[in-house]
mmCIF file of all heavy atoms in Angstrom:
data_model
loop_
_atom_site.group_PDB
_atom_site.id
_atom_site.type_symbol
_atom_site.label_atom_id
_atom_site.label_comp_id
_atom_site.label_asym_id
_atom_site.label_seq_id
_atom_site.Cartn_x
_atom_site.Cartn_y
_atom_site.Cartn_z
ATOM 1 N N SER A 168 112.444 96.398 104.564
ATOM 2 C CA SER A 168 112.631 95.579 105.768
ATOM 3 C C SER A 168 111.261 95.242 106.336
ATOM 4 O O SER A 168 110.446 96.127 106.592
ATOM 5 C CB SER A 168 113.491 96.327 106.792
ATOM 6 O OG SER A 168 113.610 95.546 107.962
ATOM 7 N N ARG A 174 116.685 91.972 115.411
ATOM 8 C CA ARG A 174 117.728 92.905 114.969
ATOM 9 C C ARG A 174 118.943 92.926 115.883
ATOM 10 O O ARG A 174 118.816 92.866 117.099
ATOM 11 C CB ARG A 174 117.144 94.316 114.873
ATOM 12 C CG ARG A 174 116.322 94.455 113.625
ATOM 13 C CD ARG A 174 115.858 95.862 113.410
ATOM 14 N NE ARG A 174 115.596 96.065 111.984
ATOM 15 C CZ ARG A 174 115.157 97.193 111.473
ATOM 16 N NH1 ARG A 174 114.931 98.231 112.240
ATOM 17 N NH2 ARG A 174 114.948 97.296 110.177
ATOM 18 N N HIS A 184 112.137 94.320 114.794
ATOM 19 C CA HIS A 184 111.689 95.447 113.971
ATOM 20 C C HIS A 184 110.199 95.694 114.211
ATOM 21 O O HIS A 184 109.372 94.849 113.892
ATOM 22 C CB HIS A 184 111.970 95.154 112.492
ATOM 23 C CG HIS A 184 111.769 96.336 111.615
ATOM 24 N ND1 HIS A 184 111.343 96.229 110.322
ATOM 25 C CD2 HIS A 184 111.936 97.658 111.863
ATOM 26 C CE1 HIS A 184 111.254 97.451 109.804
ATOM 27 N NE2 HIS A 184 111.610 98.325 110.719
ATOM 28 N N GLY A 186 108.101 97.840 112.926
ATOM 29 C CA GLY A 186 107.256 98.377 111.848
ATOM 30 C C GLY A 186 107.691 97.780 110.528
ATOM 31 O O GLY A 186 108.411 96.780 110.500
ATOM 32 N N VAL A 187 107.261 98.411 109.454
ATOM 33 C CA VAL A 187 107.682 97.960 108.129
ATOM 34 C C VAL A 187 108.362 99.155 107.450
ATOM 35 O O VAL A 187 107.927 100.296 107.614
ATOM 36 C CB VAL A 187 106.469 97.395 107.333
ATOM 37 C CG1 VAL A 187 105.362 98.419 107.164
ATOM 38 C CG2 VAL A 187 106.891 96.868 105.981
ATOM 39 N N ASP A 188 109.488 98.889 106.771
ATOM 40 C CA ASP A 188 110.224 99.978 106.116
ATOM 41 C C ASP A 188 109.914 100.011 104.624
ATOM 42 O O ASP A 188 110.002 98.989 103.947
ATOM 43 C CB ASP A 188 111.741 99.786 106.292
ATOM 44 C CG ASP A 188 112.187 99.970 107.737
ATOM 45 O OD1 ASP A 188 111.373 100.446 108.546
ATOM 46 O OD2 ASP A 188 113.346 99.630 108.032
ATOM 47 N N HIS A 232 111.102 108.866 110.855
ATOM 48 C CA HIS A 232 112.307 109.306 110.121
ATOM 49 C C HIS A 232 111.993 110.405 109.092
ATOM 50 O O HIS A 232 112.700 110.559 108.091
ATOM 51 C CB HIS A 232 113.015 108.131 109.408
ATOM 52 C CG HIS A 232 113.252 106.934 110.264
ATOM 53 N ND1 HIS A 232 113.879 107.005 111.478
ATOM 54 C CD2 HIS A 232 112.921 105.622 110.096
ATOM 55 C CE1 HIS A 232 113.940 105.790 112.016
ATOM 56 N NE2 HIS A 232 113.351 104.940 111.200
ATOM 57 N N HIS A 263 114.423 106.146 104.592
ATOM 58 C CA HIS A 263 113.251 105.288 104.354
ATOM 59 C C HIS A 263 112.114 105.733 105.257
ATOM 60 O O HIS A 263 112.320 106.552 106.154
ATOM 61 C CB HIS A 263 113.592 103.806 104.591
ATOM 62 C CG HIS A 263 113.874 103.456 106.021
ATOM 63 N ND1 HIS A 263 115.152 103.363 106.524
ATOM 64 C CD2 HIS A 263 113.050 103.171 107.062
ATOM 65 C CE1 HIS A 263 115.097 103.028 107.798
ATOM 66 N NE2 HIS A 263 113.825 102.915 108.169
ATOM 67 N N LEU A 264 110.939 105.164 105.026
ATOM 68 C CA LEU A 264 109.811 105.419 105.931
ATOM 69 C C LEU A 264 109.614 104.183 106.809
ATOM 70 O O LEU A 264 109.525 103.066 106.303
ATOM 71 C CB LEU A 264 108.520 105.672 105.144
ATOM 72 C CG LEU A 264 107.279 105.745 106.065
ATOM 73 C CD1 LEU A 264 107.241 107.053 106.832
ATOM 74 C CD2 LEU A 264 105.994 105.519 105.306
ATOM 75 N N HIS A 265 109.556 104.390 108.124
ATOM 76 C CA HIS A 265 109.209 103.316 109.069
ATOM 77 C C HIS A 265 107.739 103.548 109.432
ATOM 78 O O HIS A 265 107.388 104.584 109.980
ATOM 79 C CB HIS A 265 110.113 103.424 110.295
ATOM 80 C CG HIS A 265 109.763 102.491 111.420
ATOM 81 N ND1 HIS A 265 110.299 101.234 111.531
ATOM 82 C CD2 HIS A 265 108.939 102.646 112.486
ATOM 83 C CE1 HIS A 265 109.825 100.647 112.629
ATOM 84 N NE2 HIS A 265 108.989 101.483 113.231
ATOM 85 N N TYR A 266 106.899 102.585 109.075
ATOM 86 C CA TYR A 266 105.456 102.707 109.330
ATOM 87 C C TYR A 266 105.053 101.639 110.350
ATOM 88 O O TYR A 266 105.429 100.461 110.205
ATOM 89 C CB TYR A 266 104.702 102.495 108.017
ATOM 90 C CG TYR A 266 103.190 102.410 108.182
ATOM 91 C CD1 TYR A 266 102.462 103.509 108.645
ATOM 92 C CD2 TYR A 266 102.493 101.235 107.891
ATOM 93 C CE1 TYR A 266 101.086 103.430 108.803
ATOM 94 C CE2 TYR A 266 101.114 101.158 108.046
ATOM 95 C CZ TYR A 266 100.413 102.266 108.503
ATOM 96 O OH TYR A 266 99.053 102.188 108.662
HETATM 97 ZN ZN1 ZN B 1 111.809 100.411 110.446
#
Side-chain angles (χ1 to χ4, degrees):
S168 178
R174 283 186 156 179
H184 190 212
V187 59
D188 292 349
H232 311 307
H263 68 262
L264 172 74
H265 173 90
Y266 172 64

